[in-house]
Amino acid sequence: MASQHPLNTPLQLVATAASPLLRIESLSVSYGALRVVHDVGFELARGESLALIGESGSGKSTIARAVLRLLPETSHASGRVAFEGQEVLGLPERRFRPLRGRAIGFVPQDPGHALNPVRTIGAQAEEAAALLDEPDRAVRTTLILETFAEVGLDNPRRVYDAYPHQLSGGMLQRVLIGLAVLPRPALLVADEPTSALDVTIQKRILDLLSKLQRERGIGLLLITHDLAIAAERVDSLVVLKDGRVQESGSTSAVFAAPSSAYARKLHADVPALHPDRYETLRAHGWQRLDQQRGTAARIEMRSVSKTFHADGRALKAVDGISFSVVSGTTHALVGESGSGKTTTIRLLLGLEQPDGGDISVSGEAVSGRSEPSLRTLRRDLQLVYQNPFTSLDPTWKVERLVTEPLERYGIGTRQERAARVREALADVGLGEHLLSRRPTALSGGQRQRVAIARALVLRPNVIVLDEPTSALDVSVQADIVEVLLSLQARLGLTYVFVSHDLALVRQLAHTVSVMRHGRIMEQGSVADIFDRPRQPYTVSLLESIPSGIAAASPVPVAFFQQAIDEKQAA
């Protein structure tokens, strides 16, 4: 007898059609003496979608864990969580366990941590298939392969036999979605399912979730900090701050006319919704671009190539790229994973040697230099890493982290170094009271500001920014962007900005190079690339930028000014 694919099987609903799939009433959660969720309530109907919106620490993931009954033993939850009419918050674990996975699916944020790296995808998929009422192992395997095909994985058998490290981030996220929907859940909880993905892959994953939700009647609870994504994808929103609901309602109502100051701030901080927000600060760079036209650039890369060899094969990571960056401006490198962005900046920093071509910074050649000579060059060429949670030594205090570059280059007396450290912290908007703290006692935004201060303390002319805000919430990201542009306007810094977030690039950069498979597809000013793209690949990248429903419901400029004024007043 032929197997029936789980995604084509009607859901078995146990409650009446009139009752909501998920109802949360007066939910409060505490970790020890600290209450992190306060009297939260909302409803989600079958076949509909709802997003929990807010910054880190707003309680989004805690609410999801309460629904999934995955809160730590040290926590305490009160209130009511009803799934298909049944109160589940107080159920014993042995009675709730049959619901988790079968009726309530979960898509975690990071597939790199959610999947076991030493077991094949198939071995882990078989565990999910064990939740099916199907005793035949061969039939279960067939259902897994059919599900992988349904979620858009080409060659499902190869995916089944692969280990996680052999698949891309987008493929791994599709695997997690496939494993979550395999047992035919009525509710799918997706916790920031696209935060680490390229914009095109993000769009495909969100399209897939919307398709499953719409076609299979799944209720989708989406957790995200990106208001633009939520506005495009869900029926209703719950906006959270510090564990409290700021406002809730239909997406169109909340998006078009948010009533709370916090929701207005979130709206104003989304790059895709306000591309010209920092135009006054960027104007300094535009002026330098005009004034220095025809003069020597701060950075020059000419016909640069780099090939890596692995397993007997040659991989051309960078293929004859050329671009220049004018002093005091920002040049962005954009493209999907594997496009060659990271290899390009490693070549620029002298961490890799090119096979051919020329690279110069401030008129000095980068390639072919000795290590001591490179060290001298790098004093004027600093790097801010992608992840502030891993780029800073957790055992060092802020004072030591920012002082270390000065000590390594033998700059100044102890008193002079201390003064420069305080100046660098002030430049990024941090007070001296943080000098004695370790990174673990800082927020994500504070950590990234420390990383920028560490790069600034040597007073370089050029800073390379490798996805410096990808691990941060949009509100924290907006603060970091403002810091970077303010420093550029005041100090004339030159930035090379690497990102897959094209909306952020439009806010921040002056010129752009679009990369694919190690080559530059096209380059030019931000206006040229974003308003008049010539290459189909660039068009596909731009079309993948989440824009909410701004086109259908334009928001007046006065709205953004109100949000910015409220932020400055605070």
Side-chain angles (χ1 to χ4, degrees), residues 97 182 195 228 234-235 244 305 307 316 332 353 443 482-483 561:
R97 192 178 298 119
L182 178 63
S195 62
V234 300
D235 302 308
R244 291 183 168 86
S305 297
T307 300
K316 202 147 197 175
Q353 292 299 310
S443 69
E482 189 165 354
V483 166
Q561 191 58 53

Side-chain angles (χ1 to χ4, degrees), residues 318-329:
V318 172
D319 189 3
I321 67 170
S322 300
F323 66 84
S324 61
V325 187
V326 170
S327 179
T329 68

Side-chain angles (χ1 to χ4, degrees), residues 159-189:
V159 173
Y160 183 93
D161 294 333
Y163 287 89
H165 74 272
Q166 295 174 311
L167 303 178
S168 69
M171 294 175 72
L172 290 176
Q173 198 63 283
R174 287 172 185 262
V175 166
L176 290 181
I177 293 172
L179 300 188
V181 300
L182 178 63
R184 306 192 300 269
L187 172 65
L188 191 62
V189 180

Side-chain angles (χ1 to χ4, degrees), residues 284-546:
H284 298 272
W286 293 123
Q287 291 171 6
R288 295 185 182 106
L289 207 58
D290 290 335
Q291 293 167 358
Q292 300 179 47
R293 200 175 302 276
T295 63
R298 177 70 71 180
I299 298 171
E300 289 276 3
M301 296 192 81
R302 298 175 183 170
S303 304
V304 175
S305 297
K306 178 65 179 178
T307 300
F308 294 101
H309 299 273
D311 299 327
R313 295 184 301 169
L315 172 64
K316 202 147 197 175
V318 172
D319 189 3
I321 67 170
S322 300
F323 66 84
S324 61
V325 187
V326 170
S327 179
T329 68
T330 301
H331 184 75
L333 300 176
V334 303
E336 298 173 291
S337 295
S339 62
K341 305 187 302 294
T342 298
T343 300
T344 299
I345 64 170
R346 288 182 63 82
L347 292 167
L348 174 62
L349 293 163
L351 300 173
E352 300 282 355
Q353 292 299 310
D355 302 326
D358 300 309
I359 306 171
S360 65
V361 177
S362 301
E364 297 189 48
V366 175
S367 54
R369 301 173 75 103
S370 65
E371 190 59 36
S373 180
L374 265 177
R375 185 173 180 274
T376 301
L377 179 66
R378 287 181 185 139
R379 176 174 172 175
D380 195 41
L381 178 62
Q382 288 291 299
L383 171 67
V384 176
Y385 292 92
Q386 177 175 359
N387 192 341
F389 297 92
T390 59
S391 65
L392 301 176
D393 189 324
T395 66
W396 287 12
K397 295 179 181 179
V398 168
E399 184 172 24
R400 185 179 179 189
L401 287 166
V402 183
T403 303
E404 187 201 21
L406 297 172
E407 293 175 340
R408 284 186 173 271
Y409 281 93
I411 297 173
T413 64
R414 178 176 294 182
Q415 291 76 18
E416 289 169 341
R417 288 196 292 267
R420 285 182 65 162
V421 167
R422 285 165 170 77
E423 181 184 347
L425 288 178
D427 283 339
V428 298
L430 295 178
E432 295 182 13
H433 66 287
L434 298 177
L435 285 169
S436 60
R437 292 193 189 178
R438 291 183 171 84
T440 52
L442 303 175
S443 69
Q446 288 174 326
R447 293 187 201 198
Q448 197 61 295
R449 287 175 189 243
V450 169
I452 295 170
R454 180 179 163 89
L456 280 175
V457 76
L458 291 173
R459 297 175 182 169
N461 288 315
V462 179
I463 298 181
V464 178
L465 302 151
D466 184 9
E467 301 272 13
T469 62
S470 65
L472 305 176
D473 294 331
V474 288
S475 296
V476 181
Q477 173 181 276
D479 292 338
I480 296 298
V481 169
E482 189 165 354
V483 166
L484 290 171
L485 289 174
S486 297
L487 289 170
Q488 184 177 63
R490 184 161 56 86
L491 304 176
L493 298 173
T494 304
Y495 297 143
V496 177
F497 183 68
V498 179
S499 181
H500 64 257
D501 187 340
L502 273 74
L504 182 60
V505 164
R506 180 156 197 172
Q507 279 192 325
L508 180 66
H510 300 95
T511 54
V512 184
S513 292
V514 180
M515 298 188 67
R516 187 186 191 195
H517 301 325
R519 296 184 177 184
I520 291 180
M521 305 301 293
E522 61 180 308
Q523 59 186 345
S525 71
V526 166
D528 288 339
I529 299 302
F530 281 80
D531 297 337
R532 295 174 292 277
R534 301 184 302 275
Q535 295 293 325
Y537 176 69
T538 307
V539 173
S540 70
L541 288 179
L542 296 174
E543 288 178 345
S544 299
I545 300 174

